[in-house]
Amino acid sequence: MFQYHCLNPIASVGLELFSDDYHKADELEKADAILVRSAAMHDLALPQNVVAVARAGAGVNNIPLEDCAEKGIVVFNTPGANANGVKELVFAGMLYASRDVVGGIQWCLANQNDDNIAKTAEKQKKNFAGTEISGKKLGVIGLGAIGVLVANAATHMGMEVYGYDPYISVNAAWNLSRSVKHISHVDDIYRECDYITIHVPLMEATKKMIDADAIALMKPEAIVLNFSRDLLVDEEAMVDALAAGKIKRYVSDFPNPTTVGAKGCIVTPHLGASTAESEDNCAIMAVREVRDYLENGNIVHSVNFPDCNMGGCMTAGRIGILHRNAKGMLSGLTTILGDAGINIDGMANKSKGDYAYALMDVDSEVPQEVLKKLESMEGVLRVRKIK
């Protein structure tokens, strides 16, 4: 019997995928796995029995990834599950920034008691006139699941699309429309594009990547859209540039005191993935990832350990060993099993940065004393007996 705990409400369509072998734990201390959306976990003391955390969404900055890795806790996310919801809001952002839809709505509300509002509107609508996005240049920074969808859809709306991603994956490259022009230097996007949308993960290397220097390269009519993370943009520099009329608009899905109410800023309350479909998709993917790891030891879509998949276990036993990515680890592990007379029928060992994962199918059940020897080996973070 496995137990899971939800730190945030998780869509029932996902939770229903748990079998009768799973129980929802009201207390964190009893959980083998945690499901989370936006709850802050950095100050949360995780009990020893927790082996997995699944983020029902893409961003994981609310989770202490390295601390989890050191405790042998695999952290999953759900890339692509909310991509369509975010993509659609990006286009909404482009449209309401281009046409001053927000200003028009506010004018209508302010004049709702005017019996002649229809006539008055005909005189006032020129104050909210804008431009169309067709024929304009769109720069997409980051060609992951969301960026590819945005880039491809923009080509069908008549935009000239430029994509920048020095680390584009093979799958993303295959899915990217041939109409998208791949750019080698991000500065070219800053200089050339009328619209710039950013879709990269928040890391030290990407923090405030759109800074004062990048903004200085942009056209005065440029519109910047940020539906990824607010810290990807130097928002103080952005607000200053907007106030000085150096660029036209900044659209952000992350309200904070710097941007809300500032000239040229249009801010929404983190609505990117707030659709029923996105929440359902994220919940379904998160539950499937947790089940596959707990039941089979397979890791798919982890952010702190390497992905490793051996399907279902067809032998007498399977063990999963989370360890440091250090020289001699694998030979040490196999020696312990060999000395115990346990034959390895199949094995996968994958690494990711400082951490690695060994998944082994064996021809006999692994005794408890052998598991303890494996756990006591220097560099081993956690050993799980899966079957």
Side-chain angles (χ1 to χ4, degrees):
M1 176 71 73
F2 297 110
Q3 299 200 62
Y4 66 92
H5 178 77
C6 299
L7 292 178
N8 297 107
I10 304 296
S12 59
V13 68
L15 299 182
E16 288 168 0
L17 295 179
F18 281 122
S19 68
D20 293 339
D21 293 328
Y22 289 80
H23 173 72
K24 186 175 183 179
D26 294 329
E27 299 174 5
L28 177 63
E29 290 70 22
K30 297 180 180 178
D32 300 293
I34 295 172
L35 298 175
V36 62
R37 290 173 61 197
S38 58
M41 295 183 61
H42 286 277
D43 296 326
L44 196 63
L46 297 180
Q48 179 63 29
N49 44 286
V50 172
V51 299
V53 173
R55 159 78 164 98
V60 289
N61 55 306
N62 59 318
I63 303 171
L65 301 182
E66 189 168 349
D67 288 347
C68 286
E70 286 295 318
K71 294 176 181 177
I73 299 172
V74 180
V75 179
F76 300 89
N77 69 346
T78 57
N82 59 12
N84 188 69
V86 178
K87 177 207 75 176
E88 291 184 359
L89 197 62
V90 169
F91 282 96
M94 276 196 271
L95 293 169
Y96 56 62
S98 303
R99 303 286 295 273
D100 197 11
V101 175
V102 175
I105 292 171
Q106 290 173 340
W107 182 89
C108 288
L109 290 173
N111 292 273
Q112 60 185 301
N113 296 321
D114 181 0
D115 292 338
N116 295 312
I117 188 170
K119 186 176 181 179
T120 308
E122 290 302 314
K123 297 178 181 179
Q124 294 294 322
K125 67 182 183 181
K126 63 180 180 294
N127 296 321
F128 311 108
T131 59
E132 299 177 15
I133 66 174
S134 180
K136 303 301 188 301
K137 293 180 179 179
L138 170 66
V140 182
I141 301 173
L143 296 169
I146 297 171
V148 165
L149 289 182
V150 171
N152 289 350
T155 65
H156 296 298
M157 297 186 74
M159 303 188 81
E160 187 177 342
V161 184
Y162 297 82
Y164 171 78
D165 192 335
Y167 309 108
I168 186 171
S169 69
V170 173
N171 285 340
W174 275 108
N175 291 326
L176 191 65
S177 168
R178 281 204 248 167
S179 300
V180 176
K181 300 176 178 66
H182 196 257
I183 300 300
S184 301
H185 302 287
V186 70
D187 285 355
D188 292 337
I189 283 180
Y190 297 144
R191 291 190 189 97
E192 299 295 329
C193 292
D194 306 297
Y195 299 84
I196 298 167
T197 182
I198 186 166
H199 300 284
V200 300
L202 177 60
M203 305 178 293
E204 279 302 316
T206 60
K207 189 177 290 185
K208 295 189 177 182
M209 69 174 291
I210 299 184
D211 57 11
D213 292 337
I215 296 168
L217 297 174
M218 297 178 188
K219 299 178 179 181
E221 65 271 21
I223 293 172
V224 178
L225 303 109
N226 182 3
F227 289 86
S228 293
R229 286 291 179 267
D230 53 353
L231 291 178
L232 295 170
V233 177
D234 184 340
E235 293 191 325
E236 289 79 9
M238 180 66 70
V239 167
D240 289 344
L242 289 164
K246 293 180 180 178
I247 64 170
K248 184 178 179 180
R249 293 271 192 278
Y250 176 56
V251 184
S252 170
D253 200 26
F254 308 97
N256 58 55
T258 301
T259 55
V260 174
K263 178 185 176 182
C265 290
I266 301 174
V267 186
T268 50
H270 202 184
L271 300 178
S274 293
T275 67
E277 294 87 351
S278 288
E279 292 180 8
D280 286 354
N281 291 341
C282 288
I284 289 169
M285 186 180 290
V287 170
R288 285 175 174 166
E289 291 165 352
V290 166
R291 286 199 59 178
D292 199 15
Y293 180 61
L294 293 181
E295 297 170 28
N296 301 310
N298 295 324
I299 297 179
V300 180
H301 298 144
S302 173
V303 292
N304 63 344
F305 280 97
D307 284 4
C308 182
N309 191 337
M310 289 181 60
C313 179
M314 307 302 290
T315 60
R318 174 177 286 184
I319 55 174
I321 305 170
L322 300 158
H323 60 90
R324 299 191 193 285
N325 185 17
K327 185 178 180 180
M329 287 298 303
L330 192 57
S331 61
L333 296 171
T334 56
T335 297
I336 291 173
L337 292 172
D339 289 346
I342 297 171
N343 183 54
I344 300 173
D345 284 343
M347 178 177 65
N349 188 71
K350 303 291 184 179
S351 63
K352 183 176 185 176
D354 295 332
Y355 301 100
Y357 182 55
L359 195 57
M360 302 179 183
D361 284 348
V362 293
D363 63 358
S364 60
E365 185 174 341
V366 182
Q368 193 64 35
E369 59 268 22
V370 176
L371 294 175
K372 288 182 178 179
K373 282 185 179 181
L374 293 170
E375 289 174 344
S376 64
M377 181 177 163
E378 185 177 355
V380 170
L381 303 167
R382 187 187 292 265
V383 178
R384 289 187 60 233
K385 181 179 179 180
I386 297 155
K387 179 180 175 182

